[in-house]
Amino acid sequence: MTRFNLSDWALNHRSFVWFLMIIALVAGAMSYLNIGREEDPNFSIKVMVISGSLPGADTQETLTQVTDRIEKKLEDLDSLDFTRSITRPGQAIVYLELLPTTKADQLPLIWQKVRNMMGDISGEFPEEFRGFQFNDSFGDVFGNIYAFTSDGFSPRETRDFVERVRQEVQALDDAGKVEIFGTREEVIYLEYSTERLAALGLNQQAVQATLAAQNAIIPSGVIDSGPERVLVRVEGQFADAGSLEDINLRVGDRFFRLTDVAEIKRGYEDPPSSLFRYKGQEAIGLSVGMRTGANIVEYGEKLKNVIEKARAELPIGLEIHQVADQPVVVEEAVNHFIKALIEAILIVLAVSFISLGLRAGLVVTLTIPLVLAITFVVMEYYGITLQRISLGALIIALGLLVDDAMIAIETMISRLEIGESLTKAASYAWTSIAFPMLTGTLITVAGFIPIGLNTSAAGEFTFSLFVVIAVALVVSWIVAVLFAPLIGVTLLPARMKHHNVAPGRFRRAFHGFLRLAMRFRWVTIVATLLVFAFSIYSMRFVEQQFFPNSDRTELIVDMTLPQNATIEATRTEMDRMEVHLKDNENVLFWSSYVGRGAPRFLLAFDVPTAGANTGQIVIQTPNVAARDALRAQLNHVAETEFPGVDNFIKLLEIGPPVGRPVQYRVSGPDINLLRDKARELASVIARDARLTSIVLDWNEPARVIHVNILQDKARQLGITATDIASALNAIYDGLSVTQLRDQAYLIDIVGRGDDEARKSVEGLANLQLTASSGAVIPLRAVATFDYGTEQPVIHQRNRTPTITVKAAISTKDQPDSIVRDLTAKVADFNENLPLGYSAVVGGSVEASADSQAPIAAVVPLMILIMLTLSMVQMQGFRLTFVVLCAAPLGLIGVVAALVPSGAPLGFVAILGVLALIGILIRNSIILVHEIEVLREKGRTAWDAVFEASDSRARPILLTAAAASLALIPISRQIFWGPMAYAMMGGIIVGTIITLVFVPALYLAVFRVEKPDGSAPQEEAETA
């Protein structure tokens, strides 16, 4: 790189270069203020939910007629990964999961294609099929959730106020989706007495037809009277519940009031489909989302102002409580990382000043804000926000981005020490070391390619790590060759005293060790390989992990009752659990959701499928210590006081949610045999004492009463099966007759049996039916009854019934270790399964494998790029071989750091280990390049190896110290800790070994012998 010298050009255009630096700093400051803030980065949830209903069908019939048809058609989708479905009587819910390689921008087109596919098969369903419902916004996040509680106000009055607040929130520029939940819909119930209806010769159908006819909205014409048109309106529609009390019914020549046969009740949906409560008090919720790309901290301030204004206008008895406050969480998380970033900067500055001196250290110091400023500009341009991953990437990059500046300034100082001018010394780095630095920088960036090209959800979650580090490292090289020389000329003295006249104690010790390693090169190589082999063996002692749990202070209680449980039973059990939260010092507040899960207030939050037998409690604790103490307390309560109820007390997760960490899916065609085999597998894994809370996601059958119609007798009396089913449905579930139009609300008028008829199993036989002749007939006259059981729910995966055996971990062991220990037992279990049945691993182990598979797919490309760049720099096979052999040595330090610390090797830590390859190759390139430069200057091969190792040891060790010590601030964090330990150990140990192993390997590869009767020079040139 001698034809054009960028450093020399910068020195000849000083004013312009200073101008560029000022512009970069100003633009970087503005970008930093404008960049959005988030707690975690976004990743697309490639899931669509397709629902369909077939009222009146049992579970098996719904599975055959609805679920299977949907899943079968979805198999034609090219981007399909798998389907999983939940089938209940009359209801099918199919989760469509796309391949991890599916790009986020393709999702809208795929979702539309799915809708079209369902439209194509809509004619294949039974006539009673009610159509599809699609949810392609499954991953919508509501970062702010509010609970509106009332004392002395009806749910309708409370809802009216919530609606007004919702309008104000939606008016905000950055508002996203805003939803109201936890409302209990108003209903007017006509509770018939079947005995009185029968006594009067009436049936429900006749009553309902009368009501619907009176309340219908039907055009009644327009009179064209010549000069104007006069509208005609027929009155008589229902204005309120009182209007129903005035209705008369005719039977023959007699008239009866509606109140003679039915009790009219205006109330709320009973039983409710779901409930929302705040600290045990029934509430209405308002979940607020944010527009994509907005600054959540600024949006949070605007939203807070709207809520405060609404709170000021509240009538006495209405209160607003904030349940989720993502802006505050994000601000605290970002501030925490900014603090860690400042700590890392101070550490790097300390290394620079101590190693280089005041002036040279100041030169390196000034390059840091320049690199960060330009990186912030690029982040804003590409829409990368400040969040856990990008800020962590900045801290990781911080220790690496000063490498080029340190080497450039070190080279400049070395030229000043031999008497060169400031200008010539400043431009020397370009001609001597700039190209190897660029190659090394690009190879370091290539080490992060598995992150950038990883197509899994986990890869998408960590994508900003690649972008930020790549940008920062490339920019650091530009700053080192463009800005650093000018800063150096400005701050460094014109002459510097040679600092290598008398080597110090550590340098002399290194000389002795290096000579020994060079003299016994094969011993050095073999010893290094043996240590490397031992580190590979020791990897078995390193715990494996997917993503760690979050360090947020929320605690989640998932409560699941048997599948046939009512919502009242679920609410009762949740009431019992909430008793332990009241006046608990570890609890700030809690919100509970009966019959459903909480809104997705965090992207990584796992939202359960709604159902009457499910509930969820989100508990806010003061701190992590209180959270963990409460978790232990509630686990004990769940074990001792809630037999028969599945209580899973869990923490929030980081990255794609998994749920219970240890899972096995058992699949097979016969449901009864499948249940037996799943229970057998549960008993197998239950023998591992580390596992607790082992459950099957579906298992218990539900009781059912079969009404066997005596068809001949029924026909003789003029009663059909449809008449009987409709009568039963109208009594037990109720039938919507018409609607009361009350302002903006439509209130259903529902006819159903009275309490005695609805809730009595024994009363079924005495149910009165009206024949076509008008005669009253008890149901037992045309039907017999028997009792049995059936599956209330069936789960399928890829159209095969599947039961998932799930387990929590009671110790600090990682799921991978437990699953690995259970491999032989599960394999034996699989061998004894009948044909068509299988048990496979799920949970976090499967998710981790799915995320690592794309990494493995990209590693060959990473290696190819590294090989190419190394060959471009080295221009020789043997030199490239020497350089690349240093790459795996970082594993020695990784194992040496992870085993004693107990830190697991998680997904992020694996990415750090891969990045180590690039870092160590970079150091080797700088070292080997210096050897070749010295040989070109006439040094013997032996002396060149020694002098290069000596001269490059200092800058390599300094950059290694900066890169590793800068990771200390994030080593204390749950998410980044394992990666920090792995990289710190790998960089430190790998670098030290490289400085000894690479020289020995070079001598062996090039067959260099120690010259007889001469010794290597005591001092190494700094050139």
Side-chain angles (χ1 to χ4, degrees), residues 809-858:
I809 300 175
S810 59
T811 63
K812 293 184 179 181
D813 295 271
Q814 295 296 329
D816 186 82
S817 300
I818 297 175
V819 170
R820 188 168 58 244
D821 294 342
L822 289 171
T823 299
K825 295 179 181 178
V826 175
D828 292 340
F829 173 81
N830 259 319
E831 288 181 3
N832 295 322
L833 287 176
L835 182 66
Y837 293 79
S838 63
V840 298
V841 177
S844 63
V845 174
E846 180 187 43
S848 179
D850 290 344
S851 297
Q852 291 177 24
I855 294 178
V858 178

Side-chain angles (χ1 to χ4, degrees), residues 573-625:
E573 294 299 321
M574 294 184 71
D575 286 341
R576 292 178 55 220
M577 179 62 76
E578 290 182 37
V579 168
H580 297 278
L581 304 180
K582 294 177 181 177
D583 302 323
N584 191 314
E585 62 180 5
N586 294 321
V587 176
L588 294 178
F589 61 83
W590 73 91
S591 55
S592 54
Y593 307 80
V594 187
R596 55 163 292 169
R600 192 185 295 273
F601 61 90
L602 184 70
L603 188 58
F605 182 67
D606 189 15
V607 180
T609 303
N613 67 315
T614 63
Q616 194 170 66
I617 306 174
V618 180
I619 309 166
Q620 183 66 59
T621 64
N623 49 56
V624 173

